């Protein structure tokens, strides 16, 4: 993952104006209404939907003690059982979001909000908010007596929409104002306070959820459109304003469906203070970014994708977090979430902080967070960012800047253990999802089951293929014969992992040029090369990912500060790129040979992978049924070939079912309009062969039609 290195430090939230009595429409699921609840002049009007009740007996069971002898406006109450605490301390509590944070509920007939925060090295913790005019001393929480370090309490007569922070006085006397690590909603940056919210939503995606396993299976088509919400598109009349989650329902959803992608992947949408980080510097791990709307608006967007048969993947960032004063860094005055040893706890590339993967409570925080998005937001997959940086203690470090593990190696054993446990928890609770690793090294078994010694991911980004392929296509076709191994090397290791082939956001920033401008030659050749490289991706073993803008050949690099250059679709060359991506998605989804054995060596066979002189590749893709086998021919030079002989797996009639050089794609129109009957001419080691036309810088796909 590449990103801007700077982080912000917005620190203390600006004094917020009093919120008044605005009503909300819903609160936590499975709750009981009490419209007669008391209200104070300083509180928001409470939610008029049901809230969860608690009785006096539950309250008496709380093991807590006040930190002050002064009269407290906070009532003793706990959502934690002894079993919860045991799980939390051991790092095995995977649903902390049901306990920690702020929760609107009813206690002894009064509606209010329960607060719980982990701050084991604090001597005093209080809730400061709009309702108490940000007074540090009026609403102190109680610390539990069980050594868990959890501070908690129930504050009557405040509810959904209340803005708050925690005031924490550490044992050293340091005074901190912190946002809630488990808050479900945050203020829009640069403001930094948390907001009491709920994620109750009446989902209408039952059909998708029941059949999701079919869409997410490893032997089904999996074509992903990667999106950065803030810059995919903006209102032309207000180019500085983001489209909201709600607005994207009518814009992004139909576009992804029309393009034929099976999934959409959102770059991180958890709350982050610094927009130029692209979302990879997360402050609010449990909150959807308020830049684009509310949590329930995001849920409606995901629901709409599901109703249209499209899966949703989220980028998830457990590798590091920023050092903003209001966030996780030194949360209770100590290195609570991050590793205290800077050799393990500070990231030199991104000037950010690395989680302490060996601390049980931190492990529970992270695993709970992954499950939270799968549970509450019905997400279909998590793409885990920067896995390589987690796996190695010496990642981006020089000699003397890291310490070997207990066995003398450079592997981060605690991070490896966390990733294995994370994947086991994800698949145990949601067996029909996918976890995908952005991992760029040769670490063994990233996408292999934990019980066989792997990390347990469902898929892994094929970074080597991406870099080799781009490097090959950047080479002038005249000289590609000398770099033939770059385009064929991936098939040596293609089946060692469950690989996803990405052309991602990292490849179109920081002077690397757009996908179009990586291609050599004149204008026509640039577009032909781009159509060809996409054809190679869609016919190569593995699943697919394409970053937004690349699907229509945007000429400029991605700029997160503005919309994509949609205006270029006025020109036929860019429309041609868009149409060829549509056609490739259609081909991919309709031809079982391209997906049934995507991760099996038996699903691929070279016919001729050694023709470096002509820079031509010929191979077959195979499914479960031989009748579905395909023959793919890639001509990597501008030289057309007439009557080019290709060995085929069996005798019969072979029909061209795809040609990247079609005129509708802005190609030259050199195709094979009629089915070609095979001849008993031994070629490429096969008894039968066909004579076909190969277009310049073109891809052709043939299927038997016997």
């Amino acid at each position: 993952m590449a990103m801007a290195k700077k982080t912000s430090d917005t620190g203390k939230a600006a004094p917020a104006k009093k919120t008044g009595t605005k009503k909300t429409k819903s609160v936590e699921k499975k709750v009981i209404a009490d419209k007669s609840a008391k209200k104070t002049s300083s509180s928001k009007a409470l939610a008029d939907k049901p809230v969860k009740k608690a009785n006096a007996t539950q309250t008496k069971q709380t093991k807590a003690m006040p930190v002050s002898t002064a009269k407290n406006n906070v009532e003793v109450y706990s959502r934690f059982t002894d079993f919860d605490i045991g799980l939390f301390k051991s790092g095995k509590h995977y649903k902390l979001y049901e306990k920690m944070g702020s929760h609107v509920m009813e206690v002894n007939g009064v509606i209010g909000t329960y607060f719980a925060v982990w701050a084991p090295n604090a001597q005093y913790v209080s809730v400061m908010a709009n309702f108490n005019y940000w007074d540090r001393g009026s609403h102190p929480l109680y610390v539990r007596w069980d050594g868990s370090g959890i501070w908690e309490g129930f504050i009557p007569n405040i509810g959904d929409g209340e803005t708050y922070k925690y005031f924490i006085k550490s044992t050293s006397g340091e005074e901190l104002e912190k946002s809630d690590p488990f808050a479900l909603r945050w203020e829009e940056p640069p403001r930094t306070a948390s907001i009491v919210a709920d994620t109750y939503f009446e989902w209408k995606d039952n059909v998708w959820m029941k059949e999701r396993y079919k869409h997410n299976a490893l032997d089904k088509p999996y074509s992903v459109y990667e999106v950065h919400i803030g810059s995919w598109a903006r209102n032309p009349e207000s180019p500085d304003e983001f489209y909201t989650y709600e607005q994207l329902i009518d814009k992004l959803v139909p576009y992804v469906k029309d393009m034929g992608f099976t999934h959409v992947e959102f770059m991180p949408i958890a709350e982050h203070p610094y927009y130029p980080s692209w979302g990879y510097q997360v402050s609010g791990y449990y909150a959807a970014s308020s830049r684009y709307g509310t949590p329930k608006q995001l849920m409606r967007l995901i629901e709409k994708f599901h109703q249209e048969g499209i899966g949703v993947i989220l980028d998830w960032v457990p590798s590091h977090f920023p050092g903003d004063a209001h966030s996780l860094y030194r949360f209770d005055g100590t290195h609570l979430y991050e590793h205290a040893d800077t050799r393990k706890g500070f990231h030199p590339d991104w000037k950010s902080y690395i989680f302490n993967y060996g601390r049980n409570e931190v492990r529970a925080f992270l695993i709970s967070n992954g499950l939270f998005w799968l549970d509450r937001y019905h997400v279909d997959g998590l793409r885990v960012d920067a896995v390589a940086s987690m796996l190695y203690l010496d990642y981006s470090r020089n000699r003397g800047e890291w310490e070997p593990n207990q066995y003398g190696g450079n592997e981060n054993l605690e991070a490896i253990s966390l990733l294995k446990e994370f994947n086991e928890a994800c698949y145990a609770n949601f067996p029909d999802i996918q976890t995908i690793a952005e991992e760029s090294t040769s670490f063994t078994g990233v996408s292999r089951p934990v019980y066989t010694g792997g990390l347990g991911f469902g898929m892994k980004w094929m970074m080597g293929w991406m870099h080799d392929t781009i490097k090959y296509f950047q080479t002038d076709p005249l000289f590609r014969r000398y770099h033939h191994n770059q385009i064929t090397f991936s098939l040596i290791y293609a089946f060692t992992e469950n690989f996803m082939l990405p052309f991602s956001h990292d490849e179109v920033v920081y002077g690397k040029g757009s996908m179009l401008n990586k291609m050599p030659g004149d204008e026509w050749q640039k577009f032909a090369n781009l159509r060809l490289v996409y054809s190679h991706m869609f016919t190569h073993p593995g699943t697919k990912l394409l970053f937004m803008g690349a699907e229509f050949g945007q000429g400029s690099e991605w700029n997160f500060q503005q919309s994509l250059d949609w205006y270029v679709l006025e020109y036929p060359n860019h429309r041609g790129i868009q149409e060829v991506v549509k056609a490739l998605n259609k081909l991919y989804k309709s031809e079982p040979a391209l997906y049934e054995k995507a991760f099996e060596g038996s699903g691929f066979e070279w016919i001729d992978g050694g023709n470096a002189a002509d820079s031509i590749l010929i191979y077959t893709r195979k499914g479960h049924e031989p009748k579905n086998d395909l023959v793919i021919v890639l001509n990597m030079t501008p030289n057309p070939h007439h009557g080019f002989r290709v060995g085929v797996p069996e005798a019969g009639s072979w029909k061209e079912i795809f040609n990247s050089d079609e005129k509708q794609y802005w190609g030259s129109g050199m195709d094979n309009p009629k089915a070609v009957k095979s001849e008993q001419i031994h070629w490429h080691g096969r008894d039968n062969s066909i004579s076909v036309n190969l277009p310049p810088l073109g891809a052709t796909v043939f299927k038997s039609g016997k």
Side-chain angles (χ1 to χ4, degrees):
M1 174 197 68
M3 67 169 73
K5 295 182 178 179
K6 179 181 176 183
T7 61
S8 67
D9 190 351
T10 51
K12 180 178 178 181
K17 63 181 181 180
K18 195 167 174 287
T19 56
T21 59
K22 181 180 179 181
K23 287 193 176 183
T24 59
K25 292 185 178 180
S26 64
V27 291
E28 189 172 351
K29 189 177 182 182
K30 297 180 182 177
V31 293
I32 301 174
D34 186 354
K35 294 185 180 179
S36 62
K38 297 178 183 179
K39 298 180 175 65
T40 64
S41 59
S42 63
S43 70
K44 287 179 179 277
L46 300 176
D48 56 13
K49 269 206 172 182
V51 294
K52 187 170 185 177
K53 281 189 175 181
N55 55 41
T57 304
Q58 289 175 306
T59 304
K60 290 178 181 178
Q61 292 175 345
T62 305
K63 295 180 180 180
M65 61 177 287
V67 296
S68 171
T69 57
K71 182 179 179 181
N72 199 347
N73 296 315
V74 182
E75 296 183 9
V76 176
Y77 182 73
S78 180
R79 290 170 68 96
F80 287 90
T81 65
D82 290 341
F83 184 61
D84 286 323
I85 296 300
L87 289 175
F88 178 55
K89 287 182 176 180
S90 63
K92 302 298 182 181
H93 202 307
Y94 298 155
K95 289 193 175 182
L96 284 178
Y97 51 91
E98 294 181 348
K99 307 292 181 176
M100 291 286 196
S102 56
H103 302 268
V104 177
M105 57 191 305
E106 181 181 316
V107 176
N108 295 328
V110 178
I111 298 175
T113 300
Y114 165 80
F115 294 90
V117 62
W118 181 51
N121 300 296
Q123 61 173 304
Y124 177 87
V125 178
S126 67
V127 176
M128 47 186 294
N130 275 344
F131 72 86
N132 64 13
Y133 302 98
W134 301 92
D135 185 347
R136 295 177 168 185
S138 63
H139 289 79
L141 298 177
Y142 301 91
V143 64
R144 294 183 62 90
W145 289 352
D146 50 24
S148 63
I150 296 172
W151 298 71
E152 58 186 354
F154 175 78
I155 302 179
N157 304 317
I158 64 168
D160 195 50
E162 189 64 60
T163 306
Y164 70 100
K165 278 190 175 183
Y166 293 118
F167 170 70
I168 299 174
K169 187 172 184 179
S170 72
T171 52
S172 65
E174 184 178 0
E175 296 182 346
L176 305 163
E177 294 181 2
K178 292 289 188 177
S179 302
D180 190 343
F182 285 87
L184 302 178
R185 188 178 176 188
W186 287 44
E187 290 185 302
E188 184 174 350
R191 293 179 296 174
T192 58
S194 304
I195 300 174
V196 177
D198 72 90
T199 54
Y200 172 66
F201 185 73
E202 295 181 359
W203 289 89
K204 300 180 181 65
D205 62 349
N206 291 340
V207 173
W208 169 269
M209 295 300 286
K210 287 179 181 178
E211 298 185 351
R212 179 167 67 175
Y213 70 96
K214 298 178 182 178
H215 303 278
N216 273 352
L218 293 176
D219 60 352
K220 298 296 182 183
Y222 208 96
S223 177
V224 181
Y225 184 55
E226 187 188 17
V227 172
H228 178 259
I229 287 182
S231 57
W232 177 75
R234 296 186 182 182
N235 189 336
E237 298 178 358
S238 303
D240 293 331
E241 294 182 7
F242 303 122
Y243 276 137
T244 65
Y245 302 124
E246 196 81 31
Q247 290 171 316
L248 290 173
I249 290 175
D250 297 324
K251 299 181 182 299
L252 181 59
V253 175
Y255 181 77
V256 175
K257 183 178 182 180
D258 181 58
M259 290 299 300
F261 291 99
T262 65
H263 292 71
V264 64
E265 177 182 319
F266 291 130
M267 291 169 66
I269 54 175
E271 195 59 82
H272 49 283
Y274 188 54
Y275 178 70
S277 76
W278 311 340
Y280 290 101
Q281 298 271 11
V282 180
S283 54
Y285 274 79
Y286 289 81
S289 179
S290 54
R291 290 177 176 88
Y292 314 118
T294 67
K296 292 179 184 179
Q297 287 177 329
L298 174 58
M299 291 175 181
R300 281 193 286 271
L301 174 61
I302 294 172
E303 177 183 76
K304 187 61 177 177
F305 272 117
H306 287 173
Q307 290 171 344
E308 296 296 337
I310 299 166
V312 178
I313 304 166
L314 295 187
D315 274 17
W316 187 58
V317 191
S319 48
H320 64 128
F321 60 88
D324 295 67
H326 68 282
S327 189
L328 296 178
Y329 178 64
R330 298 189 74 253
F331 187 78
D332 63 355
T334 66
H335 296 289
L336 190 61
Y337 286 90
E338 69 275 12
H339 208 292
D341 186 343
T342 56
R343 292 174 296 180
K344 294 182 179 180
F346 181 73
H347 204 299
D349 283 351
W350 304 315
K351 307 299 185 261
S352 53
Y353 295 88
I354 301 171
F355 286 100
N356 185 348
Y357 302 118
R359 187 162 193 167
N360 287 338
E361 296 89 345
V362 174
R363 294 169 70 94
F365 171 85
L366 288 171
I367 296 174
S368 290
N369 184 243
L371 295 181
F372 166 80
W373 292 103
L374 298 171
D375 179 12
R376 296 289 177 87
Y377 282 84
H378 284 202
V379 168
D380 306 292
L382 295 172
R383 176 265 195 186
V384 183
D385 182 66
V387 171
S389 74
M390 299 173 65
L391 295 177
Y392 298 102
L393 295 167
D394 59 346
Y395 186 89
S396 289
R397 298 178 190 274
N398 299 316
R399 179 176 295 183
E401 296 177 346
W402 63 282
E403 184 179 37
N405 62 34
Q406 65 192 70
Y407 304 109
N410 65 341
E411 297 86 2
N412 189 331
L413 302 180
E414 294 170 345
I416 291 170
S417 171
L418 171 81
L419 290 170
K420 290 181 177 181
E421 188 175 347
F422 158 76
N423 280 311
E424 286 182 317
C426 285
Y427 284 108
N429 287 276
F430 303 94
D432 53 355
I433 58 92
Q434 290 291 346
T435 60
I436 306 164
E438 187 218 11
E439 205 283 314
S440 56
T441 74
S442 57
F443 192 93
T444 302
V446 172
S447 60
R448 295 294 178 254
V450 172
Y451 64 80
T452 66
L455 292 183
F457 285 95
M459 285 180 266
K460 168 184 172 175
W461 274 20
M462 199 174 190
M463 309 290 277
W465 169 88
M466 178 182 67
H467 294 310
D468 287 345
T469 299
I470 288 176
K471 189 174 182 180
Y472 176 85
F473 272 89
Q474 285 176 319
T475 303
D476 188 305
L478 182 64
F479 304 108
R480 286 178 179 172
R481 65 176 63 189
Y482 306 114
H483 302 274
H484 198 68
N485 63 306
Q486 286 180 345
I487 201 67
T488 60
F489 180 69
S490 62
L491 272 304
I492 294 177
Y493 64 95
F495 306 105
T496 59
E497 300 274 4
N498 297 338
F499 281 118
M500 173 177 281
L501 280 57
F503 285 135
S504 73
H505 62 276
D506 280 333
E507 303 313 306
V508 292
V509 292
Y510 298 147
K512 296 179 183 177
S514 66
M515 284 299 296
L516 177 65
N517 282 331
K518 294 180 193 296
M519 303 296 112
D522 58 23
E523 183 183 32
W524 189 90
Q525 290 186 1
K526 282 180 179 291
F527 281 87
N529 269 302
L530 192 59
R531 295 191 300 268
L532 179 57
V533 74
Y534 292 163
S535 301
H536 174 53
M537 177 175 74
F538 274 87
T539 58
H540 189 287
T543 55
K544 330 296 176 186
L545 179 139
L546 196 60
F547 183 58
M548 63 181 198
E551 82 279 9
F552 59 79
Q554 175 164 304
S556 59
E557 278 192 341
W558 170 49
N559 184 347
F560 64 89
Q561 298 282 21
Q562 65 186 40
S563 169
L564 296 178
D565 297 337
W566 293 103
Y567 68 88
V568 301
L569 287 172
E570 299 174 7
Y571 305 103
N573 47 7
H574 291 277
R575 288 199 305 272
I577 296 293
Q578 188 182 58
E579 289 302 317
V580 86
V581 171
K582 286 184 186 180
L584 285 166
N585 270 322
K586 183 178 180 181
L587 179 75
Y588 179 43
K589 292 189 293 185
S590 62
E591 294 299 331
L594 294 177
Y595 59 78
E596 286 183 339
K597 295 183 178 180
F599 307 117
E600 300 176 30
S602 60
F604 178 92
E605 184 180 358
W606 283 114
I607 292 178
D608 186 2
N611 189 353
D614 293 320
S615 297
I616 291 175
L617 296 180
I618 310 174
Y619 49 90
T620 62
R621 291 297 310 279
K622 302 178 181 182
H624 298 311
E625 299 291 336
K627 66 180 181 180
N628 292 325
D629 290 358
L630 303 177
V631 172
I632 295 98
V633 186
L634 307 180
N635 178 14
M636 307 294 194
T637 74
N639 300 322
H641 295 269
H642 297 273
F644 190 89
R645 189 156 293 278
V646 176
V648 292
E650 59 183 29
S653 180
W654 289 81
K655 182 181 179 181
E656 182 182 270
I657 62 172
F658 174 80
N659 187 322
S660 67
D661 194 50
E662 295 281 359
K663 288 186 176 181
Q664 62 179 320
Y665 309 142
W666 210 60
S668 69
M670 183 178 177
D671 58 9
N672 297 274
K674 296 181 180 180
V676 182
K677 194 168 184 178
S678 67
E679 302 172 83
Q680 286 186 327
I681 300 176
H682 191 81
W683 210 262
H684 291 142
R686 288 160 175 79
D687 293 333
N688 298 278
S689 60
I690 56 177
S691 177
V692 296
N693 297 325
L694 302 187
L697 294 171
T700 52
V701 179
F702 297 91
K703 185 176 183 180
S704 176
K706 63 179 182 178

